[in-house]
Amino acid sequence: MEKYKMVLNLVLKQHATLGYGFLALATAGGEQLFSVVVFSCPCNSWNFAYSMVFLLIPALVLFLLGYFISNRTWKLCTGCCINQAKQCSKRILCRGIKIFVQITVGALVAPTTWISVALLNGTFYECGMCGYYNEHFLKSICNNKSNDCPSNLYKLPCGHTALPLSAREDILITLRAHSQVIGWSLIATIMIFALASTCIVRCCSPVSFLQLQFWKTYKEKENELFEQKSAEHAKELAERNLKIFFESEGPKEIKTPSRGAWEEISLLYSFSKTEEYYSTIHKYAERKADNTHASSSTVNVDVPAVLDFVDGSKNSVDTHI
């Protein structure tokens, strides 16, 4: 793992910006565990299929997991099929598609990490390509080797081939080089895309750098306090109801937010240049203080990408660069 530390640190730093740093770290560690402990090349006609399953299926699982851990996924989906108040206009539909694309980009972090680290390691690629029967590939990899090279190639990862030792080492070194070149190319592409997209997002930011830092700090504290207050209020309400049931005590009045209030603070955040609200809860509190009601029908669809963190969970990790 020592030789991958520099690359992983760079990748994880960018992952943290998207809020998936912990998942990326688990991905890198999981790949090492799979390649060393779980993966065992069959050295037969299953080589290619077996390796592709280990390379791509975990990536698919991590991709789907990326949707599961995103608060924005559930804010976008919850109640959208039954709530008639949320009119499906073109503007709102376009905003939903935009948010879904942003969620998808975040969900791609872990699977690309898995594939990149796996390619740098080279174990899956070596096994898979030793069972890849393509005339052009076999000709290039077995060039100036024994005539038995194409027919013995699938046994190479297990060391059961009849090929000379020098030929075996040469082929394995070549395959590992192929794998690492692809892995580094993928990492470079991801980093270039991440840097370019971050620069574009920051250039289009409607708020200053210091206000954005304050905004992130506020949102982090709001999420922490919301979890704390929710737990306290739920505990108080549960204790009151249990006392009524077990001890036949009279009901003590506990005010709980209405369903309408929950819906208002559960909406996806919308940015407005005329009204500076740091979150949907901030918007609800300000309008409550003014004895007005936030309208769910007035939605500003032009939400800057730099403010995506507003709809994130308290577990999201945001870098303060």
Side-chain angles (χ1 to χ4, degrees), residues 50-270:
Y50 182 78
S51 298
M52 290 303 102
V53 165
F54 269 81
L55 184 65
L56 300 178
I57 297 302
L60 175 62
V61 172
L62 290 168
F63 177 65
L64 298 177
L65 186 60
Y67 284 109
F68 275 103
I69 69 171
S70 173
N71 259 19
R72 305 185 84 205
T73 303
W74 308 118
K75 282 192 174 185
L76 187 64
C77 295
T78 302
C80 64
C81 296
I82 60 172
N83 195 335
Q84 300 301 321
K86 298 177 183 177
Q87 300 298 324
C88 194
S89 67
K90 285 186 178 180
R91 285 169 62 84
I92 296 177
L93 182 61
C94 288
R95 187 190 179 200
I97 293 172
K98 177 184 175 183
I99 292 170
F100 179 75
V101 170
Q102 292 171 346
I103 295 170
T104 301
V105 171
L108 283 170
V109 170
T112 52
T113 300
W114 173 276
I115 293 173
S116 299
V117 175
L119 288 171
L120 287 179
N121 190 21
T123 304
F124 300 156
Y125 185 88
E126 287 174 11
C127 176
M129 298 312 289
C130 283
Y132 181 59
Y133 298 102
N134 177 275
E135 185 177 347
H136 176 72
F137 171 76
L138 290 174
K139 186 177 179 180
S140 62
I141 205 72
C142 290
N143 187 32
N144 297 325
K145 306 289 191 307
S146 169
N147 293 332
D148 295 331
C149 176
S151 59
N152 283 273
L153 194 61
Y154 69 91
K155 300 178 182 178
L156 192 59
C158 299
H160 298 154
T161 179
L163 292 173
L165 181 60
S166 58
R168 278 184 274 171
E169 291 180 349
D170 185 45
I171 292 172
L172 287 176
I173 289 172
T174 302
L175 290 177
R176 180 155 297 192
H178 290 175
S179 181
Q180 291 177 344
V181 165
I182 297 171
W184 279 113
S185 300
L186 181 59
I187 289 172
T189 302
I190 294 169
M191 296 305 297
I192 291 170
F193 172 78
L195 177 61
S197 60
T198 301
C199 289
I200 292 170
V201 164
R202 290 300 179 98
C203 286
C204 298
S205 174
V207 295
S208 66
F209 174 77
L210 291 178
Q211 186 181 8
L212 185 62
Q213 300 307 97
F214 171 80
W215 202 322
K216 289 182 177 182
T217 302
Y218 165 81
K219 186 57 185 171
E220 180 184 344
K221 296 301 179 183
E222 183 189 79
N223 285 332
E224 290 177 2
L225 290 172
F226 182 81
E227 292 290 330
Q228 181 183 336
K229 292 290 184 183
S230 295
E232 290 174 358
H233 194 80
K235 181 181 178 182
E236 185 181 2
L237 183 61
E239 286 178 346
R240 187 206 70 168
N241 293 339
L242 289 170
K243 281 184 178 180
I244 293 172
F245 179 75
F246 285 108
E247 301 174 14
S248 300
E249 290 188 2
K252 172 187 174 183
E253 184 180 2
I254 297 179
K255 291 186 178 180
T256 302
S258 64
R259 191 175 73 172
W262 283 110
E263 283 192 359
E264 286 183 22
I265 69 167
S266 297
L267 293 172
L268 284 165
Y269 174 78
S270 59

